[in-house]
């Protein structure tokens, strides 16, 4: 087994130690569009707690996990240390109660402007009429703004996609629609004039979301309806493929 293959196998043995963490906030009273009480900002992480180094083997184990690229960040909870493997953030909107979805998105960073096509020529629920047809009853839409996974965990047979699917079970449990804007955010802004590279890497990201049951809507916005089977089936396939490590 090569060093690279050995490293991948080593990381997969930690899969059953990963934990999901959630943080969210919504305002009680609105003072402007950004803190409309009908919008919930959320942040999710998948973390790997490190075991207390009480022997040489565990100490060496932790040293390998602290190597560059294995985590996005390192943090502490009391005396315990943990590594962030994947981070995902976004917004949940209550379509029945939100004052102005356009103003709310516009008040945030530029990433949220990508989701305006979901609401252009809004129908009864505030969504684009093409989206309203066939939706089950419900009033929440989940917007996934950003997802990042530590480099060492990429290419391990769908670990990142499995973690996204597990997080969405909680984040999107009441949603009628989940939307994202697949884009290779790791490309530095100064290098995004390389249109061939951008197109090539964007296609890779889009295939990742497609494999999770997302479909293109328009203007690079992709969507998934949780009540349909495509997403759930995709997550079940990933769970089966990685079952020996779970």
């Amino acid at each position: 087994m090569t060093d690279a293959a050995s490293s991948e196998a080593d990381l997969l043995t930690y899969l059953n130690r990963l934990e999901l963490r959630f943080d969210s906030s919504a305002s009680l009273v609105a003072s402007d569009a950004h803190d409309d009480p009908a919008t919930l900002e959320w942040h999710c992480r998948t973390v790997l707690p490190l075991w207390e180094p009480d022997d040489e083997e565990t100490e060496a184990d932790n040293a390998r996990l602290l190597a560059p690229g294995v985590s996005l960040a390192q943090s502490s909870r009391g005396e315990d240390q943990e590594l962030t493997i994947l981070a995902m953030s976004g917004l949940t909107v209550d379509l029945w109660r939100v004052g102005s979805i356009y103003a709310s998105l516009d008040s945030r960073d530029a990433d949220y402007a990508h989701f305006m096509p979901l609401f252009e020529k809004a129908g009864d629920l505030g969504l684009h009429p093409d989206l309203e047809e066939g939706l089950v009853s419900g009033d929440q839409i989940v917007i996934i703004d950003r997802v990042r996974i530590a480099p060492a965990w990429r290419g391990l047979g769908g670990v990142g996609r499995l973690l996204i699917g597990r997080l969405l079970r909680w984040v999107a449990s009441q949603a009628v629609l989940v939307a994202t804007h697949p884009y290779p955010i790791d490309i530095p802004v100064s290098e995004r004039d390389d249109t061939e590279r951008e197109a090539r890497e964007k296609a890779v990201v889009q295939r990742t979301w497609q494999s999770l049951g997302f479909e293109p809507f328009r203007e690079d916005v992709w969507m998934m309806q949780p009540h349909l089977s495509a997403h759930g089936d995709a997550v079940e396939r990933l769970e089966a493929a990685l079952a020996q490590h779970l």
Side-chain angles (χ1 to χ4, degrees):
M1 181 180 291
T2 65
D3 289 343
S6 176
S7 176
E8 290 180 1
D10 288 345
L11 285 181
L12 287 174
T13 64
Y14 299 103
L15 202 56
N16 61 0
R17 285 173 49 185
L18 298 182
E19 299 178 3
L20 308 181
R21 301 280 169 77
F22 302 86
D23 180 38
S24 59
S25 63
S27 297
L28 178 63
V29 179
S31 60
D32 55 33
H34 185 275
D35 60 5
D36 189 316
T39 60
L40 176 78
E41 292 187 346
W42 49 264
H43 303 269
C44 307
R45 295 184 300 140
T46 301
V47 302
L48 173 60
L50 295 184
W51 286 343
E52 185 177 349
D54 51 6
D55 55 41
E56 291 185 0
E57 183 179 354
T58 306
E59 188 172 351
D61 200 35
N62 287 350
R64 286 194 295 271
L65 293 173
L66 291 169
V70 177
S71 68
L72 297 173
Q74 304 170 20
S75 57
S76 300
R77 299 184 81 196
E79 297 181 355
D80 299 325
Q81 190 174 13
E82 61 187 27
L83 308 178
T84 296
I85 303 306
L86 180 142
M88 184 167 74
S89 60
L91 186 71
T92 298
V93 180
D94 186 327
L95 296 172
W96 285 113
R97 297 191 302 117
V98 67
S100 170
I101 185 60
Y102 295 107
S104 185
L105 294 179
D106 188 56
S107 68
R108 291 172 164 80
D109 63 53
D111 288 350
Y112 282 99
H114 296 299
F115 298 97
M116 291 296 191
L118 293 171
F119 309 98
E120 290 178 359
K121 301 177 181 178
D124 293 337
L125 287 177
L127 289 171
H128 193 288
D130 290 349
L131 294 175
E132 290 186 344
E133 184 177 355
L135 287 182
V136 297
S137 60
D139 54 15
Q140 292 184 3
I141 177 172
V142 168
I143 294 174
I144 302 172
D145 178 26
R146 291 202 168 201
V147 180
R148 296 186 63 220
I149 185 170
W153 292 82
R154 300 171 186 172
L156 298 186
V159 169
R161 288 175 289 152
L162 175 63
L163 296 178
I164 292 171
R166 287 289 185 89
L167 290 168
L168 284 178
R169 282 182 180 175
W170 298 102
V171 173
S173 61
Q174 302 298 316
V176 295
L177 187 72
V178 181
T180 191
H181 175 250
Y183 188 84
I185 58 176
D186 289 338
I187 298 180
V189 175
S190 60
E191 298 179 20
R192 291 181 183 174
D193 57 350
D194 185 345
T195 55
E196 290 187 3
R197 176 189 176 186
E198 181 184 50
R200 184 172 60 252
E201 295 192 21
K202 185 165 68 172
V204 173
V205 178
Q206 289 175 339
R207 285 195 296 272
T208 296
W209 288 102
Q210 186 175 34
S211 71
L212 280 171
F214 283 73
E215 299 177 342
F217 176 56
R218 49 173 57 89
E219 297 182 33
D220 284 340
V221 174
W222 288 55
M223 48 161 277
M224 179 268 289
Q225 297 182 46
H227 70 281
L228 300 180
S229 63
H231 175 69
D233 290 348
V235 176
E236 288 183 3
R237 287 192 294 270
L238 289 166
E239 290 172 338
L242 294 166
Q244 62 179 309
H245 306 291
L246 296 174

PDB file of all heavy atoms in Angstrom, residues 12-40:
ATOM      1  N   LEU A  12     -10.121   7.087   7.283  1.00  0.00           N
ATOM      2  CA  LEU A  12     -11.424   6.432   7.301  1.00  0.00           C
ATOM      3  C   LEU A  12     -11.683   5.697   8.616  1.00  0.00           C
ATOM      4  O   LEU A  12     -12.836   5.528   9.017  1.00  0.00           O
ATOM      5  CB  LEU A  12     -11.548   5.461   6.123  1.00  0.00           C
ATOM      6  CG  LEU A  12     -11.718   6.108   4.745  1.00  0.00           C
ATOM      7  CD1 LEU A  12     -11.692   5.061   3.654  1.00  0.00           C
ATOM      8  CD2 LEU A  12     -13.020   6.910   4.673  1.00  0.00           C
ATOM      9  N   THR A  13     -10.626   5.297   9.298  1.00  0.00           N
ATOM     10  CA  THR A  13     -10.825   4.611  10.577  1.00  0.00           C
ATOM     11  C   THR A  13     -11.339   5.562  11.652  1.00  0.00           C
ATOM     12  O   THR A  13     -11.806   5.101  12.702  1.00  0.00           O
ATOM     13  CB  THR A  13      -9.514   3.971  11.066  1.00  0.00           C
ATOM     14  OG1 THR A  13      -8.546   5.002  11.320  1.00  0.00           O
ATOM     15  CG2 THR A  13      -8.978   2.992  10.041  1.00  0.00           C
ATOM     16  N   TYR A  14     -11.263   6.870  11.407  1.00  0.00           N
ATOM     17  CA  TYR A  14     -11.763   7.854  12.375  1.00  0.00           C
ATOM     18  C   TYR A  14     -13.209   8.271  12.085  1.00  0.00           C
ATOM     19  O   TYR A  14     -13.784   9.071  12.823  1.00  0.00           O
ATOM     20  CB  TYR A  14     -10.889   9.114  12.363  1.00  0.00           C
ATOM     21  CG  TYR A  14      -9.444   8.874  12.749  1.00  0.00           C
ATOM     22  CD1 TYR A  14      -8.452   8.838  11.771  1.00  0.00           C
ATOM     23  CD2 TYR A  14      -9.084   8.671  14.076  1.00  0.00           C
ATOM     24  CE1 TYR A  14      -7.131   8.607  12.113  1.00  0.00           C
ATOM     25  CE2 TYR A  14      -7.763   8.446  14.422  1.00  0.00           C
ATOM     26  CZ  TYR A  14      -6.796   8.413  13.435  1.00  0.00           C
ATOM     27  OH  TYR A  14      -5.485   8.188  13.786  1.00  0.00           O
ATOM     28  N   LEU A  15     -13.781   7.718  11.031  1.00  0.00           N
ATOM     29  CA  LEU A  15     -15.098   8.170  10.597  1.00  0.00           C
ATOM     30  C   LEU A  15     -16.145   7.998  11.702  1.00  0.00           C
ATOM     31  O   LEU A  15     -17.007   8.849  11.894  1.00  0.00           O
ATOM     32  CB  LEU A  15     -15.515   7.398   9.345  1.00  0.00           C
ATOM     33  CG  LEU A  15     -16.571   8.052   8.439  1.00  0.00           C
ATOM     34  CD1 LEU A  15     -16.144   9.420   7.983  1.00  0.00           C
ATOM     35  CD2 LEU A  15     -16.857   7.152   7.239  1.00  0.00           C
ATOM     36  N   ASN A  16     -16.071   6.908  12.441  1.00  0.00           N
ATOM     37  CA  ASN A  16     -17.085   6.664  13.469  1.00  0.00           C
ATOM     38  C   ASN A  16     -16.882   7.501  14.732  1.00  0.00           C
ATOM     39  O   ASN A  16     -17.676   7.412  15.670  1.00  0.00           O
ATOM     40  CB  ASN A  16     -17.142   5.174  13.834  1.00  0.00           C
ATOM     41  CG  ASN A  16     -15.833   4.651  14.395  1.00  0.00           C
ATOM     42  OD1 ASN A  16     -14.854   5.384  14.515  1.00  0.00           O
ATOM     43  ND2 ASN A  16     -15.813   3.376  14.730  1.00  0.00           N
ATOM     44  N   ARG A  17     -15.832   8.335  14.740  1.00  0.00           N
ATOM     45  CA  ARG A  17     -15.617   9.233  15.877  1.00  0.00           C
ATOM     46  C   ARG A  17     -16.084  10.660  15.588  1.00  0.00           C
ATOM     47  O   ARG A  17     -16.075  11.516  16.476  1.00  0.00           O
ATOM     48  CB  ARG A  17     -14.123   9.268  16.243  1.00  0.00           C
ATOM     49  CG  ARG A  17     -13.645   8.034  16.973  1.00  0.00           C
ATOM     50  CD  ARG A  17     -12.138   8.030  17.154  1.00  0.00           C
ATOM     51  NE  ARG A  17     -11.607   9.277  17.699  1.00  0.00           N
ATOM     52  CZ  ARG A  17     -10.296   9.510  17.834  1.00  0.00           C
ATOM     53  NH1 ARG A  17      -9.418   8.590  17.452  1.00  0.00           N
ATOM     54  NH2 ARG A  17      -9.870  10.655  18.323  1.00  0.00           N
ATOM     55  N   LEU A  18     -16.499  10.911  14.349  1.00  0.00           N
ATOM     56  CA  LEU A  18     -16.903  12.268  13.984  1.00  0.00           C
ATOM     57  C   LEU A  18     -18.219  12.648  14.656  1.00  0.00           C
ATOM     58  O   LEU A  18     -19.098  11.815  14.861  1.00  0.00           O
ATOM     59  CB  LEU A  18     -17.040  12.386  12.466  1.00  0.00           C
ATOM     60  CG  LEU A  18     -15.770  12.152  11.648  1.00  0.00           C
ATOM     61  CD1 LEU A  18     -16.055  12.363  10.164  1.00  0.00           C
ATOM     62  CD2 LEU A  18     -14.636  13.065  12.098  1.00  0.00           C
ATOM     63  N   GLU A  19     -18.348  13.923  14.987  1.00  0.00           N
ATOM     64  CA  GLU A  19     -19.551  14.448  15.620  1.00  0.00           C
ATOM     65  C   GLU A  19     -20.070  15.646  14.833  1.00  0.00           C
ATOM     66  O   GLU A  19     -19.296  16.386  14.214  1.00  0.00           O
ATOM     67  CB  GLU A  19     -19.264  14.880  17.061  1.00  0.00           C
ATOM     68  CG  GLU A  19     -18.790  13.752  17.966  1.00  0.00           C
ATOM     69  CD  GLU A  19     -18.466  14.221  19.374  1.00  0.00           C
ATOM     70  OE1 GLU A  19     -18.663  15.437  19.656  1.00  0.00           O
ATOM     71  OE2 GLU A  19     -18.019  13.391  20.188  1.00  0.00           O
ATOM     72  N   LEU A  20     -21.394  15.832  14.853  1.00  0.00           N
ATOM     73  CA  LEU A  20     -22.031  16.948  14.169  1.00  0.00           C
ATOM     74  C   LEU A  20     -22.326  18.051  15.181  1.00  0.00           C
ATOM     75  O   LEU A  20     -22.864  17.782  16.257  1.00  0.00           O
ATOM     76  CB  LEU A  20     -23.334  16.501  13.498  1.00  0.00           C
ATOM     77  CG  LEU A  20     -23.249  15.268  12.591  1.00  0.00           C
ATOM     78  CD1 LEU A  20     -24.619  14.979  11.998  1.00  0.00           C
ATOM     79  CD2 LEU A  20     -22.216  15.468  11.492  1.00  0.00           C
ATOM     80  N   ARG A  21     -22.014  19.300  14.833  1.00  0.00           N
ATOM     81  CA  ARG A  21     -22.263  20.444  15.709  1.00  0.00           C
ATOM     82  C   ARG A  21     -23.082  21.488  14.950  1.00  0.00           C
ATOM     83  O   ARG A  21     -22.868  21.706  13.755  1.00  0.00           O
ATOM     84  CB  ARG A  21     -20.943  21.067  16.163  1.00  0.00           C
ATOM     85  CG  ARG A  21     -20.033  20.107  16.920  1.00  0.00           C
ATOM     86  CD  ARG A  21     -20.467  19.954  18.364  1.00  0.00           C
ATOM     87  NE  ARG A  21     -19.758  18.847  19.020  1.00  0.00           N
ATOM     88  CZ  ARG A  21     -18.504  18.913  19.448  1.00  0.00           C
ATOM     89  NH1 ARG A  21     -17.823  20.054  19.315  1.00  0.00           N
ATOM     90  NH2 ARG A  21     -17.937  17.880  20.030  1.00  0.00           N
ATOM     91  N   PHE A  22     -24.019  22.126  15.652  1.00  0.00           N
ATOM     92  CA  PHE A  22     -24.912  23.099  15.027  1.00  0.00           C
ATOM     93  C   PHE A  22     -24.945  24.380  15.850  1.00  0.00           C
ATOM     94  O   PHE A  22     -24.938  24.351  17.080  1.00  0.00           O
ATOM     95  CB  PHE A  22     -26.339  22.543  14.919  1.00  0.00           C
ATOM     96  CG  PHE A  22     -26.444  21.262  14.145  1.00  0.00           C
ATOM     97  CD1 PHE A  22     -26.243  20.038  14.763  1.00  0.00           C
ATOM     98  CD2 PHE A  22     -26.731  21.276  12.787  1.00  0.00           C
ATOM     99  CE1 PHE A  22     -26.339  18.849  14.057  1.00  0.00           C
ATOM    100  CE2 PHE A  22     -26.819  20.099  12.072  1.00  0.00           C
ATOM    101  CZ  PHE A  22     -26.624  18.886  12.706  1.00  0.00           C
ATOM    102  N   ASP A  23     -25.034  25.504  15.136  1.00  0.00           N
ATOM    103  CA  ASP A  23     -25.194  26.801  15.789  1.00  0.00           C
ATOM    104  C   ASP A  23     -26.092  27.640  14.889  1.00  0.00           C
ATOM    105  O   ASP A  23     -25.904  27.671  13.670  1.00  0.00           O
ATOM    106  CB  ASP A  23     -23.836  27.490  15.979  1.00  0.00           C
ATOM    107  CG  ASP A  23     -23.966  28.834  16.657  1.00  0.00           C
ATOM    108  OD1 ASP A  23     -24.811  28.960  17.566  1.00  0.00           O
ATOM    109  OD2 ASP A  23     -23.233  29.770  16.275  1.00  0.00           O
ATOM    110  N   SER A  24     -27.087  28.307  15.461  1.00  0.00           N
ATOM    111  CA  SER A  24     -28.002  29.108  14.647  1.00  0.00           C
ATOM    112  C   SER A  24     -28.477  30.305  15.447  1.00  0.00           C
ATOM    113  O   SER A  24     -28.430  30.316  16.684  1.00  0.00           O
ATOM    114  CB  SER A  24     -29.206  28.277  14.186  1.00  0.00           C
ATOM    115  OG  SER A  24     -29.913  27.775  15.303  1.00  0.00           O
ATOM    116  N   SER A  25     -28.944  31.323  14.731  1.00  0.00           N
ATOM    117  CA  SER A  25     -29.449  32.520  15.402  1.00  0.00           C
ATOM    118  C   SER A  25     -30.488  33.221  14.537  1.00  0.00           C
ATOM    119  O   SER A  25     -30.393  33.236  13.310  1.00  0.00           O
ATOM    120  CB  SER A  25     -28.304  33.497  15.719  1.00  0.00           C
ATOM    121  OG  SER A  25     -27.687  33.966  14.528  1.00  0.00           O
ATOM    122  N   ALA A  26     -31.494  33.773  15.209  1.00  0.00           N
ATOM    123  CA  ALA A  26     -32.531  34.563  14.552  1.00  0.00           C
ATOM    124  C   ALA A  26     -32.913  35.689  15.506  1.00  0.00           C
ATOM    125  O   ALA A  26     -32.894  35.517  16.732  1.00  0.00           O
ATOM    126  CB  ALA A  26     -33.753  33.710  14.212  1.00  0.00           C
ATOM    127  N   SER A  27     -33.265  36.829  14.954  1.00  0.00           N
ATOM    128  CA  SER A  27     -33.637  37.981  15.778  1.00  0.00           C
ATOM    129  C   SER A  27     -35.065  37.842  16.285  1.00  0.00           C
ATOM    130  O   SER A  27     -35.925  37.246  15.625  1.00  0.00           O
ATOM    131  CB  SER A  27     -33.500  39.269  14.970  1.00  0.00           C
ATOM    132  OG  SER A  27     -32.154  39.481  14.582  1.00  0.00           O
ATOM    133  N   LEU A  28     -35.308  38.403  17.459  1.00  0.00           N
ATOM    134  CA  LEU A  28     -36.663  38.430  17.998  1.00  0.00           C
ATOM    135  C   LEU A  28     -37.479  39.524  17.327  1.00  0.00           C
ATOM    136  O   LEU A  28     -38.648  39.332  16.975  1.00  0.00           O
ATOM    137  CB  LEU A  28     -36.629  38.663  19.511  1.00  0.00           C
ATOM    138  CG  LEU A  28     -37.989  38.761  20.211  1.00  0.00           C
ATOM    139  CD1 LEU A  28     -38.748  37.443  20.076  1.00  0.00           C
ATOM    140  CD2 LEU A  28     -37.809  39.133  21.678  1.00  0.00           C
ATOM    141  N   VAL A  29     -36.848  40.687  17.130  1.00  0.00           N
ATOM    142  CA  VAL A  29     -37.505  41.836  16.514  1.00  0.00           C
ATOM    143  C   VAL A  29     -36.595  42.385  15.425  1.00  0.00           C
ATOM    144  O   VAL A  29     -35.384  42.481  15.609  1.00  0.00           O
ATOM    145  CB  VAL A  29     -37.811  42.937  17.549  1.00  0.00           C
ATOM    146  CG1 VAL A  29     -38.483  44.132  16.879  1.00  0.00           C
ATOM    147  CG2 VAL A  29     -38.679  42.394  18.673  1.00  0.00           C
ATOM    148  N   ALA A  30     -37.170  42.759  14.295  1.00  0.00           N
ATOM    149  CA  ALA A  30     -36.368  43.273  13.178  1.00  0.00           C
ATOM    150  C   ALA A  30     -36.078  44.754  13.343  1.00  0.00           C
ATOM    151  O   ALA A  30     -36.952  45.537  13.688  1.00  0.00           O
ATOM    152  CB  ALA A  30     -37.100  43.039  11.866  1.00  0.00           C
ATOM    153  N   SER A  31     -34.819  45.117  13.099  1.00  0.00           N
ATOM    154  CA  SER A  31     -34.462  46.534  13.008  1.00  0.00           C
ATOM    155  C   SER A  31     -34.122  46.896  11.571  1.00  0.00           C
ATOM    156  O   SER A  31     -34.143  48.064  11.197  1.00  0.00           O
ATOM    157  CB  SER A  31     -33.268  46.847  13.921  1.00  0.00           C
ATOM    158  OG  SER A  31     -32.134  46.067  13.554  1.00  0.00           O
ATOM    159  N   ASP A  32     -33.809  45.883  10.764  1.00  0.00           N
ATOM    160  CA  ASP A  32     -33.574  46.089   9.331  1.00  0.00           C
ATOM    161  C   ASP A  32     -33.774  44.748   8.628  1.00  0.00           C
ATOM    162  O   ASP A  32     -34.130  43.746   9.253  1.00  0.00           O
ATOM    163  CB  ASP A  32     -32.168  46.659   9.056  1.00  0.00           C
ATOM    164  CG  ASP A  32     -31.059  45.811   9.651  1.00  0.00           C
ATOM    165  OD1 ASP A  32     -31.225  44.569   9.718  1.00  0.00           O
ATOM    166  OD2 ASP A  32     -30.031  46.367  10.055  1.00  0.00           O
ATOM    167  N   ALA A  33     -33.546  44.725   7.317  1.00  0.00           N
ATOM    168  CA  ALA A  33     -33.806  43.514   6.539  1.00  0.00           C
ATOM    169  C   ALA A  33     -32.897  42.360   6.941  1.00  0.00           C
ATOM    170  O   ALA A  33     -33.281  41.195   6.871  1.00  0.00           O
ATOM    171  CB  ALA A  33     -33.643  43.807   5.050  1.00  0.00           C
ATOM    172  N   HIS A  34     -31.684  42.686   7.379  1.00  0.00           N
ATOM    173  CA  HIS A  34     -30.717  41.641   7.697  1.00  0.00           C
ATOM    174  C   HIS A  34     -31.168  40.788   8.871  1.00  0.00           C
ATOM    175  O   HIS A  34     -30.908  39.576   8.907  1.00  0.00           O
ATOM    176  CB  HIS A  34     -29.347  42.263   7.993  1.00  0.00           C
ATOM    177  CG  HIS A  34     -28.261  41.261   8.223  1.00  0.00           C
ATOM    178  ND1 HIS A  34     -28.022  40.691   9.454  1.00  0.00           N
ATOM    179  CD2 HIS A  34     -27.364  40.706   7.372  1.00  0.00           C
ATOM    180  CE1 HIS A  34     -27.018  39.848   9.356  1.00  0.00           C
ATOM    181  NE2 HIS A  34     -26.601  39.834   8.103  1.00  0.00           N
ATOM    182  N   ASP A  35     -31.834  41.385   9.845  1.00  0.00           N
ATOM    183  CA  ASP A  35     -32.244  40.606  11.016  1.00  0.00           C
ATOM    184  C   ASP A  35     -33.743  40.352  11.048  1.00  0.00           C
ATOM    185  O   ASP A  35     -34.363  40.308  12.107  1.00  0.00           O
ATOM    186  CB  ASP A  35     -31.765  41.262  12.312  1.00  0.00           C
ATOM    187  CG  ASP A  35     -32.325  42.663  12.508  1.00  0.00           C
ATOM    188  OD1 ASP A  35     -33.162  43.092  11.695  1.00  0.00           O
ATOM    189  OD2 ASP A  35     -31.926  43.314  13.478  1.00  0.00           O
ATOM    190  N   ASP A  36     -34.329  40.178   9.874  1.00  0.00           N
ATOM    191  CA  ASP A  36     -35.733  39.796   9.793  1.00  0.00           C
ATOM    192  C   ASP A  36     -35.929  38.508  10.611  1.00  0.00           C
ATOM    193  O   ASP A  36     -35.229  37.515  10.392  1.00  0.00           O
ATOM    194  CB  ASP A  36     -36.111  39.554   8.323  1.00  0.00           C
ATOM    195  CG  ASP A  36     -37.607  39.353   8.116  1.00  0.00           C
ATOM    196  OD1 ASP A  36     -38.212  38.624   8.912  1.00  0.00           O
ATOM    197  OD2 ASP A  36     -38.148  39.920   7.157  1.00  0.00           O
ATOM    198  N   PRO A  37     -36.868  38.497  11.571  1.00  0.00           N
ATOM    199  CA  PRO A  37     -37.082  37.305  12.401  1.00  0.00           C
ATOM    200  C   PRO A  37     -37.474  36.061  11.611  1.00  0.00           C
ATOM    201  O   PRO A  37     -37.429  34.955  12.150  1.00  0.00           O
ATOM    202  CB  PRO A  37     -38.217  37.731  13.338  1.00  0.00           C
ATOM    203  CG  PRO A  37     -38.155  39.212  13.379  1.00  0.00           C
ATOM    204  CD  PRO A  37     -37.716  39.623  12.005  1.00  0.00           C
ATOM    205  N   ALA A  38     -37.868  36.232  10.365  1.00  0.00           N
ATOM    206  CA  ALA A  38     -38.245  35.088   9.536  1.00  0.00           C
ATOM    207  C   ALA A  38     -37.039  34.458   8.845  1.00  0.00           C
ATOM    208  O   ALA A  38     -37.197  33.571   8.011  1.00  0.00           O
ATOM    209  CB  ALA A  38     -39.271  35.511   8.490  1.00  0.00           C
ATOM    210  N   THR A  39     -35.843  34.907   9.177  1.00  0.00           N
ATOM    211  CA  THR A  39     -34.621  34.322   8.623  1.00  0.00           C
ATOM    212  C   THR A  39     -33.751  33.799   9.759  1.00  0.00           C
ATOM    213  O   THR A  39     -33.572  34.459  10.775  1.00  0.00           O
ATOM    214  CB  THR A  39     -33.816  35.340   7.793  1.00  0.00           C
ATOM    215  OG1 THR A  39     -33.446  36.453   8.620  1.00  0.00           O
ATOM    216  CG2 THR A  39     -34.639  35.843   6.618  1.00  0.00           C
ATOM    217  N   LEU A  40     -33.248  32.608   9.568  1.00  0.00           N
ATOM    218  CA  LEU A  40     -32.394  31.955  10.560  1.00  0.00           C
ATOM    219  C   LEU A  40     -31.028  31.696   9.941  1.00  0.00           C
ATOM    220  O   LEU A  40     -30.920  30.978   8.947  1.00  0.00           O
ATOM    221  CB  LEU A  40     -33.021  30.634  10.994  1.00  0.00           C
ATOM    222  CG  LEU A  40     -32.208  29.770  11.974  1.00  0.00           C
ATOM    223  CD1 LEU A  40     -32.321  30.318  13.394  1.00  0.00           C
ATOM    224  CD2 LEU A  40     -32.684  28.310  11.936  1.00  0.00           C
TER     225      LEU A  40
END
